Amino acid sequence: PLRPLFDKGMRNEVQVIAMALSAEMDYLPDVYSVLGASAALHISDIPWAGPIGCVRVGMDAEDNFIINPTQAEVAESKLDLVVAG
């Protein structure tokens, strides 16, 4: 979801590298990496039309949606969907 928000005329290469230095072990860090990338680009001088949001959605045995499930809930989930926009 990051690339489409850069100016059309921008030809410079931009790399966003996320490295988790510490994390809550119950949750997967990928969604938080997307949010961190959005925050970093938003406060930079780069012409970017953000910010964006990201969420992981799971589903339990009773077909209830779980927002940002733990790793244990993801392992038992019928659905593991990451949505960003």
Side-chain angles (χ1 to χ4, degrees), residues 44-69:
S44 74
D45 293 334
I46 297 172
W48 187 66
I52 61 169
C54 186
V55 66
R56 180 181 299 278
V57 181
M59 183 179 287
D60 64 12
E62 291 85 36
D63 293 339
N64 297 317
F65 291 110
I66 305 168
I67 303 301
N68 291 328

Side-chain angles (χ1 to χ4, degrees), residues 18-23:
M19 180 183 351
L21 298 177
S22 72

Side-chain angles (χ1 to χ4, degrees), residues 1-19:
L2 296 176
R3 174 55 57 197
L5 297 177
F6 286 101
D7 285 347
K8 299 288 184 210
M10 185 172 171
R11 299 289 180 223
N12 298 344
E13 181 177 339
V14 176
Q15 293 184 9
V16 179
I17 301 170
M19 180 183 351

Side-chain angles (χ1 to χ4, degrees), residues 30-53:
D30 55 351
V31 169
Y32 303 109
S33 297
V34 173
L35 297 174
S38 173
L41 287 169
H42 194 66
I43 64 172
S44 74
D45 293 334
I46 297 172
W48 187 66
I52 61 169

